[in-house]
Amino acid sequence: MAQFARPRVAAPRLEREIFVLVSSGRARSRKEIAESLGIAPSTVSQRVQAMLASGVLEETGEGASSGGRRPRALRVPGSTGYLGVVDVGGTHARLGILRHGGELATTTEVALAIADGPEPVLTQVTTALRELAGTLGSEAGAGAPGSGASADGGRLLGVGISLPGPVDVARRALDSPSRMPGWSGFDVGSWLEDALGVPAVVENDANAMAVGEHFGHPRRTRHTVSVKAGSAIGAGILVDDRLHRGAGGAAGDITHTRIPAAGDTPCSCGNRGCLETVASGAALVRLLREQGYDVAATADVLDLVRDAEPVATTLTRTAGRHLGEVLCAVVNFFNPGAVYLGGALSTLEPFVSAIRSQIYEGAHPLMTRDLVIAPSALGADANLVGVGRLLEDALVPHALAG
Ligand SMILES: [Zn+2]
Protein backbone atom coordinates (compact mmCIF):
# COMPACT_ATOMS: atom_id res chain seq x y z
CA MET A 1 0.00 0.00 0.00
CA ALA A 2 1.16 3.49 -0.82
CA GLN A 3 0.90 4.62 2.78
CA PHE A 4 3.70 2.22 3.72
CA ALA A 5 6.03 3.42 0.97
CA ARG A 6 7.95 5.73 3.32
CA PRO A 7 11.39 4.46 4.30
CA ARG A 8 11.54 2.73 7.65
CA VAL A 9 12.21 5.18 10.48
CA ALA A 10 14.46 4.17 13.36
CA ALA A 11 12.65 3.96 16.71
CA PRO A 12 14.21 7.00 18.48
CA ARG A 13 13.50 9.27 15.53
CA LEU A 14 10.01 7.79 15.22
CA GLU A 15 9.24 8.49 18.86
CA ARG A 16 10.50 11.99 18.40
CA GLU A 17 8.25 12.51 15.38
CA ILE A 18 5.27 11.10 17.27
CA PHE A 19 6.00 13.40 20.19
CA VAL A 20 6.13 16.50 17.97
CA LEU A 21 2.89 15.54 16.20
CA VAL A 22 1.07 15.11 19.51
CA SER A 23 2.62 18.06 21.36
CA SER A 24 1.86 20.41 18.46
CA GLY A 25 -1.71 19.15 18.25
CA ARG A 26 -1.37 18.08 14.61
CA ALA A 27 -2.25 14.51 15.57
CA ARG A 28 -4.43 13.45 18.48
CA SER A 29 -4.80 9.72 17.98
CA ARG A 30 -2.81 6.69 16.86
CA LYS A 31 -4.77 6.73 13.62
CA GLU A 32 -3.89 10.36 12.88
CA ILE A 33 -0.23 9.67 13.68
CA ALA A 34 -0.14 6.68 11.32
CA GLU A 35 -1.76 8.74 8.54
CA SER A 36 0.53 11.69 9.06
CA LEU A 37 3.74 9.65 9.08
CA GLY A 38 2.60 7.17 6.43
CA ILE A 39 3.54 4.12 8.49
CA ALA A 40 1.71 1.03 9.71
CA PRO A 41 -0.81 1.57 12.55
CA SER A 42 0.64 -1.44 14.37
CA THR A 43 4.08 0.23 14.45
CA VAL A 44 2.53 3.43 15.79
CA SER A 45 0.56 1.54 18.48
CA GLN A 46 3.69 -0.22 19.66
CA ARG A 47 5.69 3.00 19.99
CA VAL A 48 2.80 4.93 21.57
CA GLN A 49 2.36 2.17 24.14
CA ALA A 50 6.02 2.49 25.12
CA MET A 51 5.72 6.28 25.31
CA LEU A 52 2.61 5.98 27.53
CA ALA A 53 4.45 3.55 29.79
CA SER A 54 7.39 5.94 30.18
CA GLY A 55 5.07 8.90 30.85
CA VAL A 56 6.17 10.91 27.81
CA LEU A 57 2.56 10.81 26.54
CA GLU A 58 -0.73 10.43 28.36
CA GLU A 59 -4.27 9.58 27.33
CA THR A 60 -7.29 11.79 27.90
CA GLY A 61 -10.99 11.38 27.19
CA GLU A 62 -13.17 10.90 30.21
CA GLY A 63 -16.34 10.54 28.12
CA ALA A 64 -18.79 7.82 29.11
CA SER A 65 -18.21 4.51 27.46
CA SER A 66 -20.94 3.55 25.04
CA GLY A 67 -20.25 -0.13 25.19
CA GLY A 68 -17.24 -0.34 22.87
CA ARG A 69 -13.79 1.03 23.52
CA ARG A 70 -14.11 4.74 24.19
CA PRO A 71 -12.04 7.00 21.95
CA ARG A 72 -9.05 8.34 23.83
CA ALA A 73 -6.98 11.30 22.74
CA LEU A 74 -3.24 11.47 23.20
CA ARG A 75 -1.47 14.45 24.70
CA VAL A 76 1.79 15.49 26.28
CA PRO A 77 1.51 15.99 30.05
CA GLY A 78 1.63 19.67 31.00
CA SER A 79 1.79 20.86 27.40
CA THR A 80 -1.36 22.99 27.36
CA GLY A 81 -0.29 26.32 26.04
CA TYR A 82 0.92 28.35 23.12
CA LEU A 83 4.15 29.37 21.42
CA GLY A 84 5.41 32.92 20.89
CA VAL A 85 6.97 33.45 17.45
CA VAL A 86 8.84 36.49 16.17
CA ASP A 87 10.26 37.52 12.80
CA VAL A 88 12.68 40.43 13.12
CA GLY A 89 13.48 42.47 10.00
CA GLY A 90 15.59 45.56 9.50
CA THR A 91 12.88 48.10 10.37
CA HIS A 92 10.07 46.09 11.94
CA ALA A 93 9.21 42.84 13.67
CA ARG A 94 6.20 40.60 13.04
CA LEU A 95 4.99 38.66 16.07
CA GLY A 96 2.48 35.87 16.48
CA ILE A 97 0.98 33.38 18.88
CA LEU A 98 0.82 29.79 17.67
CA ARG A 99 -1.92 27.79 19.27
CA HIS A 100 -1.98 24.06 19.86
CA GLY A 101 -2.47 22.55 16.40
CA GLY A 102 -0.05 24.95 14.70
CA GLU A 103 -2.61 27.68 13.90
CA LEU A 104 -1.52 31.29 14.12
CA ALA A 105 -4.06 32.66 16.60
CA THR A 106 -3.07 36.29 16.25
CA THR A 107 -0.29 38.45 14.80
CA THR A 108 0.94 42.01 15.11
CA GLU A 109 3.78 44.21 13.87
CA VAL A 110 5.99 46.68 15.68
CA ALA A 111 8.35 49.25 14.19
CA LEU A 112 11.96 49.02 15.33
CA ALA A 113 15.50 49.61 14.09
CA ILE A 114 17.68 46.52 14.12
CA ALA A 115 20.73 48.79 14.00
CA ASP A 116 19.87 49.93 17.58
CA GLY A 117 21.45 46.67 18.78
CA PRO A 118 20.13 43.52 20.45
CA GLU A 119 18.97 44.69 23.89
CA PRO A 120 16.71 47.59 22.80
CA VAL A 121 15.27 45.45 19.99
CA LEU A 122 14.68 42.35 22.13
CA THR A 123 13.15 44.48 24.91
CA GLN A 124 10.67 45.88 22.39
CA VAL A 125 9.96 42.40 21.06
CA THR A 126 9.31 40.78 24.46
CA THR A 127 7.08 43.68 25.56
CA ALA A 128 5.03 43.34 22.37
CA LEU A 129 4.85 39.56 22.76
CA ARG A 130 3.52 39.84 26.32
CA GLU A 131 0.88 42.31 25.15
CA LEU A 132 -0.12 40.01 22.30
CA ALA A 133 -0.38 37.03 24.65
CA GLY A 134 -2.54 39.16 26.96
CA THR A 135 -5.09 39.81 24.20
CA LEU A 136 -5.20 36.09 23.47
CA GLY A 137 -5.87 35.32 27.14
CA SER A 138 -8.89 37.61 27.32
CA GLU A 139 -10.29 36.26 24.03
CA ALA A 140 -9.93 32.70 25.20
CA GLY A 141 -11.44 33.54 28.57
CA ALA A 142 -8.28 32.41 30.34
CA GLY A 143 -7.48 33.76 33.77
CA ALA A 144 -4.42 35.73 34.73
CA PRO A 145 -1.03 34.29 33.72
CA GLY A 146 -0.05 31.61 36.18
CA SER A 147 -3.65 30.78 37.12
CA GLY A 148 -3.26 27.32 35.61
CA ALA A 149 -4.12 25.80 32.27
CA SER A 150 -7.36 27.06 30.80
CA ALA A 151 -9.38 25.02 28.32
CA ASP A 152 -7.76 26.67 25.36
CA GLY A 153 -5.36 29.44 26.36
CA GLY A 154 -2.84 27.88 28.72
CA ARG A 155 0.58 29.38 29.18
CA LEU A 156 3.55 30.39 27.05
CA LEU A 157 5.61 27.23 26.42
CA GLY A 158 8.45 28.63 24.35
CA VAL A 159 9.59 31.41 22.05
CA GLY A 160 11.10 31.24 18.56
CA ILE A 161 12.75 34.14 16.75
CA SER A 162 14.05 34.55 13.21
CA LEU A 163 16.76 37.10 12.51
CA PRO A 164 17.93 38.66 9.22
CA GLY A 165 21.52 37.41 9.18
CA PRO A 166 23.70 34.32 9.47
CA VAL A 167 22.75 32.51 12.70
CA ASP A 168 24.94 30.14 14.70
CA VAL A 169 22.07 27.92 15.84
CA ALA A 170 24.03 26.18 18.62
CA ARG A 171 25.15 29.50 20.18
CA ARG A 172 21.78 31.08 19.32
CA ALA A 173 23.59 34.17 18.11
CA LEU A 174 24.19 36.01 14.87
CA ASP A 175 27.55 35.38 13.24
CA SER A 176 29.05 38.59 11.79
CA PRO A 177 25.88 40.05 10.26
CA SER A 178 26.33 43.11 8.05
CA ARG A 179 24.73 46.41 9.10
CA MET A 180 23.73 45.02 12.53
CA PRO A 181 26.12 46.59 15.07
CA GLY A 182 26.28 44.85 18.45
CA TRP A 183 24.54 41.66 17.33
CA SER A 184 27.47 39.46 16.37
CA GLY A 185 27.92 36.81 19.07
CA PHE A 186 25.15 38.24 21.30
CA ASP A 187 23.36 35.29 22.94
CA VAL A 188 19.80 36.03 21.81
CA GLY A 189 18.50 32.65 23.06
CA SER A 190 19.63 33.11 26.68
CA TRP A 191 18.45 36.72 26.73
CA LEU A 192 14.94 35.65 25.66
CA GLU A 193 14.91 32.73 28.13
CA ASP A 194 15.86 35.07 30.99
CA ALA A 195 13.24 37.61 29.95
CA LEU A 196 10.35 35.21 29.35
CA GLY A 197 11.26 32.17 31.46
CA VAL A 198 10.69 29.64 28.66
CA PRO A 199 12.95 27.83 26.16
CA ALA A 200 13.96 29.81 23.07
CA VAL A 201 15.18 28.95 19.57
CA VAL A 202 16.95 31.33 17.19
CA GLU A 203 17.05 30.84 13.43
CA ASN A 204 18.08 32.65 10.27
CA ASP A 205 15.13 34.22 8.43
CA ALA A 206 15.57 32.34 5.15
CA ASN A 207 15.65 29.01 7.00
CA ALA A 208 12.57 29.92 9.05
CA MET A 209 10.73 30.87 5.88
CA ALA A 210 11.82 27.65 4.17
CA VAL A 211 10.44 25.51 7.01
CA GLY A 212 7.15 27.42 7.02
CA GLU A 213 6.72 27.16 3.25
CA HIS A 214 7.80 23.51 3.14
CA PHE A 215 4.98 22.46 5.47
CA GLY A 216 2.56 25.21 4.40
CA HIS A 217 1.82 24.15 0.83
CA PRO A 218 -1.17 21.89 0.24
CA ARG A 219 0.65 19.63 -2.24
CA ARG A 220 3.50 18.34 -0.13
CA THR A 221 6.89 17.27 -1.41
CA ARG A 222 9.75 16.11 0.80
CA HIS A 223 12.56 18.10 -0.84
CA THR A 224 12.18 21.87 -1.29
CA VAL A 225 14.13 25.06 -1.86
CA SER A 226 12.58 28.33 -0.68
CA VAL A 227 14.01 31.60 -1.87
CA LYS A 228 13.52 34.87 -0.05
CA ALA A 229 14.06 37.76 -2.44
CA GLY A 230 13.76 41.09 -0.68
CA SER A 231 16.36 43.79 -0.30
CA ALA A 232 18.81 40.86 -0.03
CA ILE A 233 18.49 37.27 -1.28
CA GLY A 234 18.42 34.18 0.92
CA ALA A 235 17.39 30.57 0.49
CA GLY A 236 16.63 27.62 2.73
CA ILE A 237 16.65 23.91 1.93
CA LEU A 238 14.65 21.02 3.34
CA VAL A 239 15.83 17.50 2.59
CA ASP A 240 13.49 14.64 3.48
CA ASP A 241 11.32 17.07 5.51
CA ARG A 242 14.25 18.32 7.59
CA LEU A 243 16.02 21.65 7.44
CA HIS A 244 19.50 21.26 5.94
CA ARG A 245 21.83 23.81 7.52
CA GLY A 246 25.10 22.56 6.06
CA ALA A 247 28.48 22.08 7.72
CA GLY A 248 28.85 25.71 8.75
CA GLY A 249 25.18 26.67 9.00
CA ALA A 250 25.29 28.63 5.76
CA ALA A 251 23.53 26.22 3.37
CA GLY A 252 21.34 28.01 0.85
CA ASP A 253 23.25 31.26 0.97
CA ILE A 254 23.15 31.77 -2.79
CA THR A 255 23.32 35.55 -2.66
CA HIS A 256 27.13 35.66 -2.96
CA THR A 257 27.35 33.35 -5.96
CA ARG A 258 29.41 35.15 -8.58
CA ILE A 259 27.76 35.53 -11.95
CA PRO A 260 29.27 37.00 -15.13
CA ALA A 261 26.49 39.58 -15.56
CA ALA A 262 27.48 41.23 -12.26
CA GLY A 263 30.94 42.06 -13.59
CA ASP A 264 33.09 43.84 -11.03
CA THR A 265 30.28 45.39 -9.01
CA PRO A 266 31.39 45.51 -5.35
CA CYS A 267 29.22 43.53 -2.91
CA SER A 268 28.44 43.98 0.79
CA CYS A 269 30.47 40.80 1.47
CA GLY A 270 33.68 42.42 0.22
CA ASN A 271 33.75 40.36 -2.96
CA ARG A 272 32.80 41.51 -6.43
CA GLY A 273 30.25 40.33 -8.96
CA CYS A 274 27.86 38.57 -6.56
CA LEU A 275 24.27 37.71 -7.49
CA GLU A 276 23.15 40.15 -4.79
CA THR A 277 24.60 43.07 -6.75
CA VAL A 278 22.27 42.49 -9.71
CA ALA A 279 19.21 40.57 -8.45
CA SER A 280 18.28 41.93 -5.00
CA GLY A 281 15.97 44.76 -4.00
CA ALA A 282 19.03 46.75 -2.92
CA ALA A 283 20.54 46.21 -6.39
CA LEU A 284 17.35 47.42 -8.09
CA VAL A 285 17.37 50.54 -5.92
CA ARG A 286 20.98 51.20 -6.92
CA LEU A 287 20.35 50.55 -10.63
CA LEU A 288 17.31 52.84 -10.69
CA ARG A 289 19.14 55.59 -8.86
CA GLU A 290 21.95 55.37 -11.43
CA GLN A 291 19.29 56.16 -14.02
CA GLY A 292 18.05 59.18 -12.08
CA TYR A 293 15.06 57.66 -10.28
CA ASP A 294 14.19 58.94 -6.81
CA VAL A 295 14.05 55.62 -4.98
CA ALA A 296 15.38 54.83 -1.52
CA ALA A 297 14.16 51.35 -0.62
CA THR A 298 12.83 48.11 -2.11
CA ALA A 299 9.27 49.32 -1.36
CA ASP A 300 9.79 52.18 -3.87
CA VAL A 301 10.82 49.66 -6.53
CA LEU A 302 7.68 47.62 -5.81
CA ASP A 303 5.52 50.73 -6.33
CA LEU A 304 7.15 51.51 -9.69
CA VAL A 305 6.76 47.96 -11.00
CA ARG A 306 3.15 47.73 -9.83
CA ASP A 307 2.52 50.95 -11.76
CA ALA A 308 4.08 49.19 -14.81
CA GLU A 309 6.86 51.78 -15.05
CA PRO A 310 8.84 50.43 -18.04
CA VAL A 311 12.46 50.87 -16.86
CA ALA A 312 11.77 49.46 -13.37
CA THR A 313 9.83 46.56 -14.91
CA THR A 314 12.64 45.70 -17.33
CA LEU A 315 15.28 45.87 -14.59
CA THR A 316 13.12 43.68 -12.33
CA ARG A 317 12.64 41.10 -15.09
CA THR A 318 16.42 41.05 -15.67
CA ALA A 319 16.99 40.60 -11.92
CA GLY A 320 14.62 37.61 -11.99
CA ARG A 321 16.54 36.11 -14.89
CA HIS A 322 19.84 36.39 -12.98
CA LEU A 323 18.34 34.73 -9.93
CA GLY A 324 16.77 32.07 -12.16
CA GLU A 325 20.17 31.39 -13.69
CA VAL A 326 21.66 30.59 -10.28
CA LEU A 327 18.57 28.57 -9.34
CA CYS A 328 19.07 26.41 -12.47
CA ALA A 329 22.31 25.14 -10.98
CA VAL A 330 20.61 24.61 -7.61
CA VAL A 331 17.75 22.67 -9.23
CA ASN A 332 20.10 20.56 -11.35
CA PHE A 333 22.22 19.71 -8.35
CA PHE A 334 19.52 19.16 -5.72
CA ASN A 335 16.52 17.97 -7.77
CA PRO A 336 13.89 19.48 -5.46
CA GLY A 337 10.17 18.74 -5.73
CA ALA A 338 9.38 22.42 -5.36
CA VAL A 339 10.94 25.86 -5.46
CA TYR A 340 8.94 28.35 -3.41
CA LEU A 341 9.43 32.07 -3.99
CA GLY A 342 8.97 34.46 -1.09
CA GLY A 343 10.10 37.95 -0.11
CA ALA A 344 8.90 41.31 -1.42
CA LEU A 345 10.27 40.93 -4.97
CA SER A 346 8.41 37.63 -5.38
CA THR A 347 5.13 39.54 -5.22
CA LEU A 348 6.05 41.05 -8.61
CA GLU A 349 4.82 39.13 -11.64
CA PRO A 350 7.71 40.11 -13.99
CA PHE A 351 10.25 38.89 -11.40
CA VAL A 352 8.52 35.55 -10.78
CA SER A 353 7.83 34.80 -14.44
CA ALA A 354 11.46 35.55 -15.35
CA ILE A 355 12.69 33.11 -12.67
CA ARG A 356 10.19 30.50 -13.79
CA SER A 357 11.08 30.68 -17.49
CA GLN A 358 14.82 30.73 -16.74
CA ILE A 359 14.54 27.53 -14.68
CA TYR A 360 12.28 25.73 -17.16
CA GLU A 361 14.58 26.68 -20.04
CA GLY A 362 17.89 26.20 -18.27
CA ALA A 363 17.53 23.19 -15.99
CA HIS A 364 17.59 19.59 -17.19
CA PRO A 365 14.15 18.26 -18.30
CA LEU A 366 14.40 15.43 -15.76
CA MET A 367 14.59 18.04 -13.02
CA THR A 368 11.76 20.24 -14.28
CA ARG A 369 9.32 17.51 -15.39
CA ASP A 370 7.51 17.41 -12.03
CA LEU A 371 9.03 20.53 -10.49
CA VAL A 372 6.61 22.93 -8.81
CA ILE A 373 7.64 26.60 -8.89
CA ALA A 374 5.17 28.46 -6.73
CA PRO A 375 4.85 31.76 -4.91
CA SER A 376 4.87 31.75 -1.13
CA ALA A 377 1.79 30.09 0.42
CA LEU A 378 2.10 31.84 3.77
CA GLY A 379 3.42 35.27 2.77
CA ALA A 380 4.41 37.40 5.74
CA ASP A 381 3.55 34.56 8.16
CA ALA A 382 5.98 32.00 6.70
CA ASN A 383 8.78 32.85 9.15
CA LEU A 384 6.43 32.73 12.13
CA VAL A 385 5.04 29.32 11.20
CA GLY A 386 8.52 28.04 10.35
CA VAL A 387 10.20 29.13 13.54
CA GLY A 388 7.22 27.66 15.41
CA ARG A 389 7.89 24.25 13.81
CA LEU A 390 11.55 24.50 14.81
CA LEU A 391 10.51 25.42 18.34
CA GLU A 392 8.22 22.38 18.53
CA ASP A 393 11.25 20.23 17.65
CA ALA A 394 13.35 21.95 20.30
CA LEU A 395 10.71 21.28 22.98
CA VAL A 396 11.07 17.51 22.59
CA PRO A 397 12.31 16.10 25.93
CA HIS A 398 16.02 15.21 26.09
CA ALA A 399 15.12 11.55 26.54
CA LEU A 400 13.73 11.55 22.99
CA ALA A 401 16.10 13.99 21.33
CA GLY A 402 18.14 12.23 18.71
ZN1 LIG B 1 28.74 39.13 -2.08
Side-chain angles (χ1 to χ4, degrees):
M1 279 172 74
Q3 76 181 62
F4 304 134
R6 198 168 185 265
R8 204 168 162 273
V9 183
R13 180 170 164 191
L14 181 55
E15 292 196 359
R16 189 183 159 84
E17 291 189 14
I18 290 171
F19 182 90
V20 171
L21 280 173
V22 174
S23 68
S24 68
R26 286 194 295 278
R28 291 180 173 81
S29 66
R30 293 164 177 79
K31 185 165 174 280
E32 286 177 6
I33 294 168
E35 284 169 1
S36 180
L37 295 178
I39 57 176
S42 58
T43 309
V44 171
S45 284
Q46 198 183 23
R47 297 324 308 165
V48 165
Q49 215 50 46
M51 293 168 81
L52 289 169
S54 65
V56 175
L57 295 181
E58 65 183 18
E59 279 184 309
T60 66
E62 266 53 73
S65 169
S66 54
R69 285 177 64 185
R70 60 189 177 192
R72 296 194 133 210
L74 296 166
R75 73 175 181 196
V76 172
S79 73
T80 310
Y82 53 86
L83 307 178
V85 284
V86 186
D87 170 24
V88 177
T91 56
H92 76 282
R94 189 168 175 82
L95 301 98
I97 298 291
L98 272 177
R99 259 196 232 274
H100 203 57
E103 296 294 318
L104 262 180
T106 175
T107 58
T108 189
E109 294 205 358
V110 291
L112 51 76
I114 199 150
D116 287 350
E119 292 196 80
V121 167
L122 294 174
T123 301
Q124 255 185 294
V125 162
T126 46
T127 303
L129 198 58
R130 283 196 194 95
E131 281 171 14
L132 193 62
T135 64
L136 180 77
S138 56
E139 274 171 25
S147 66
S150 68
D152 197 28
R155 62 192 173 88
L156 181 68
L157 298 174
V159 59
I161 188 168
S162 81
L163 297 171
V167 168
D168 180 333
V169 174
R171 288 168 60 218
R172 299 184 302 177
L174 281 158
D175 190 352
S176 315
S178 54
R179 294 180 292 272
M180 291 175 65
W183 285 87
S184 189
F186 184 88
D187 186 343
V188 174
S190 296
W191 196 98
L192 288 173
E193 286 178 351
D194 289 346
L196 295 168
V198 291
V201 298
V202 182
E203 187 54 81
N204 156 264
D205 60 351
N207 281 349
M209 184 202 120
V211 173
E213 291 295 334
H214 181 92
F215 293 104
H217 283 259
R219 230 186 92 197
R220 287 279 318 282
T221 162
R222 297 176 66 80
H223 315 289
T224 63
V225 176
S226 295
V227 180
K228 183 172 182 160
S231 46
I233 297 169
I237 304 159
L238 274 90
V239 184
D240 210 15
D241 286 337
R242 289 164 90 93
L243 182 62
H244 175 75
R245 293 194 175 88
D253 201 354
I254 56 174
T255 200
H256 301 294
T257 305
R258 294 186 81 171
I259 65 165
D264 267 345
T265 314
C267 179
S268 62
C269 69
N271 239 325
R272 286 173 181 274
C274 297
L275 176 67
E276 183 170 298
T277 67
V278 288
S280 65
L284 288 170
V285 169
R286 191 196 76 241
L287 292 166
L288 282 164
R289 287 179 72 86
E290 282 170 9
Q291 300 210 27
Y293 285 78
D294 181 23
V295 289
T298 304
D300 302 326
V301 179
L302 300 184
D303 288 343
L304 286 175
V305 177
R306 285 183 187 133
D307 287 345
E309 199 287 327
V311 173
T313 303
T314 301
L315 285 172
T316 299
R317 191 173 288 122
T318 306
R321 271 209 295 276
H322 293 321
L323 177 53
E325 196 182 316
V326 169
L327 288 175
C328 278
V330 172
V331 165
N332 274 342
F333 176 75
F334 176 50
N335 189 15
V339 174
Y340 300 132
L341 302 171
L345 292 183
S346 299
T347 62
L348 301 173
E349 194 278 330
F351 187 74
V352 170
S353 60
I355 293 173
R356 194 187 291 274
S357 60
Q358 193 74 24
I359 293 176
Y360 283 132
E361 284 164 27
H364 191 280
L366 269 179
M367 308 295 172
T368 54
R369 192 174 53 196
D370 299 316
L371 177 68
V372 172
I373 302 174
S376 160
L378 302 179
D381 290 334
N383 289 39
L384 300 183
V385 172
V387 87
R389 294 285 297 224
L390 294 167
L391 180 57
E392 286 168 4
D393 280 344
L395 293 174
V396 172
H398 287 303
L400 291 179

